[in-house]
Amino acid sequence: MMELSHITAGYGGEPVLQDVSLSFPPGQVTVLAGPNGCGKSTLLRVAARLMEPAEGEIRLDGEDAGDLSPKEFARRVALLPQSRATPEIAAGALVLHGRFPYLGYPRRYSTQDRRAARRAMELAGVSGLERAPVSRLSGGQRQKVYLAMAIAQETPVLLLDEPTTFLDIGHQLELASLARTLAREGRAVVMVLHDLNLALTCAHRTAVLRNGRVAGLGTPEEIFQSGVLEEVFGVSVHQVRLGDGAVQYLFTRRNADG
């Protein structure tokens, strides 16, 4: 369990996050949603210890995350950041970088490390690209290779910042299904998503942020019923139940003509 308590953080001047408290339970997908600039990515950076909060604390299973060594923290929390460099390296070698927290010096990969990397590539849908240079992959393929690297880290907490970037609709749905699979394995999966329909259909819980604060938190049904999406995004939200029992959401701009 990761717990963020009363987090205030920013980059100088007015804080981007103001007194945010959230928990990310194991076995659940938590989606962070909200308008651009509301603090979603900043929240993940704080949770990943890439940014020191001005106030508040982060706890992992009751322990102060600040007391953990970088290697120990990396064995418990993995981050797929929003933007990354593109190294001149084979995809399989990059995925193995996710095993660094478990290696000594010099770095020698064990059978377990290679098995974890292979499984991660299978889950992310990039098996067969082990020898392909990352720089020559398409944007979608590259995104999935980086996702595989985060999965290979085999951490209880997985933070994904806009993981559907560069992915077409089919692969976005695959990723949503994968997030649920990883949660069933007992991981706490936290995702920043801009597609509200995808967010509401794949999340166990959704946290809606506005102006650096939590405006709403609950199950997708609770978030829909609360009206917080209409308030925060200025849209009308309609719930549609399909023949197979699945639920989809339609969004229209308020007072739109026609």
Side-chain angles (χ1 to χ4, degrees):
M1 167 82 80
M2 172 177 270
E3 298 171 282
L4 280 61
S5 299
H6 303 290
I7 297 295
T8 295
Y11 305 92
E14 187 73 17
V16 176
L17 297 173
Q18 302 183 59
D19 194 28
V20 171
S21 294
L22 283 172
S23 63
F24 304 131
Q28 292 193 12
V29 177
T30 302
V31 170
L32 306 180
N36 292 337
C38 70
K40 302 183 297 296
S41 294
T42 300
L43 183 62
L44 287 198
R45 286 179 59 80
V46 170
R49 282 201 340 191
L50 296 179
M51 182 176 178
E52 189 75 19
E55 297 178 17
E57 64 176 1
I58 304 165
R59 304 190 74 82
L60 287 167
D61 297 325
E63 295 182 70
D64 187 336
D67 292 339
L68 301 175
S69 69
K71 178 174 279 192
E72 178 60 26
F73 185 81
R75 290 178 179 177
R76 298 169 74 169
V77 179
L79 170 69
L80 174 68
Q82 186 175 353
S83 59
R84 303 157 300 275
T86 303
E88 291 295 333
I89 189 174
L94 180 62
V95 173
L96 277 167
H97 283 192
R99 302 301 299 170
F100 280 5
Y102 304 94
L103 304 181
Y105 186 83
R107 290 171 177 150
R108 292 193 177 96
Y109 296 114
S110 67
T111 300
Q112 180 180 350
D113 295 322
R114 297 186 184 280
R115 185 183 300 119
R118 282 196 302 272
R119 180 173 184 265
M121 294 189 78
E122 290 171 0
L123 287 171
V126 287
S127 293
L129 295 179
E130 287 82 358
R131 297 180 182 276
V134 174
S135 60
R136 298 184 186 179
L137 298 177
S138 69
Q141 289 174 324
R142 197 177 305 142
Q143 181 76 350
K144 293 199 285 185
V145 167
Y146 275 103
L147 174 60
M149 182 175 68
I151 294 171
Q153 207 166 319
E154 292 189 324
T155 54
V157 179
L158 186 58
L159 308 174
L160 308 177
D161 193 357
E162 298 190 37
T164 57
T165 301
F166 301 118
L167 299 183
D168 60 42
I169 183 61
H171 288 112
Q172 288 181 30
L173 294 174
E174 286 180 9
L175 186 141
S177 177
L178 173 57
R180 284 276 187 153
T181 296
L182 296 171
R184 282 195 295 272
E185 294 179 355
R187 305 197 202 197
V189 182
V190 186
M191 297 195 294
V192 170
L193 291 177
H194 280 291
D195 186 322
L196 288 177
N197 187 54
L198 187 65
L200 293 171
T201 53
C202 78
H204 294 96
R205 300 190 315 152
T206 301
V208 180
L209 275 65
R210 177 180 57 185
N211 298 328
R213 298 181 183 273
V214 177
L217 174 66
T219 66
E221 180 66 24
E222 289 169 343
I223 289 295
F224 168 70
Q225 295 291 348
S226 71
V228 68
L229 297 175
E230 287 91 340
E231 181 183 344
V232 170
F233 290 95
V235 296
S236 296
V237 187
H238 308 277
Q239 190 183 71
V240 179
R241 295 192 178 273
L242 306 180
D244 60 359
V247 176
Q248 294 289 308
Y249 298 87
L250 300 177
F251 301 87
T252 57
R253 178 177 292 198
R254 284 182 177 174
N255 300 322
D257 295 334

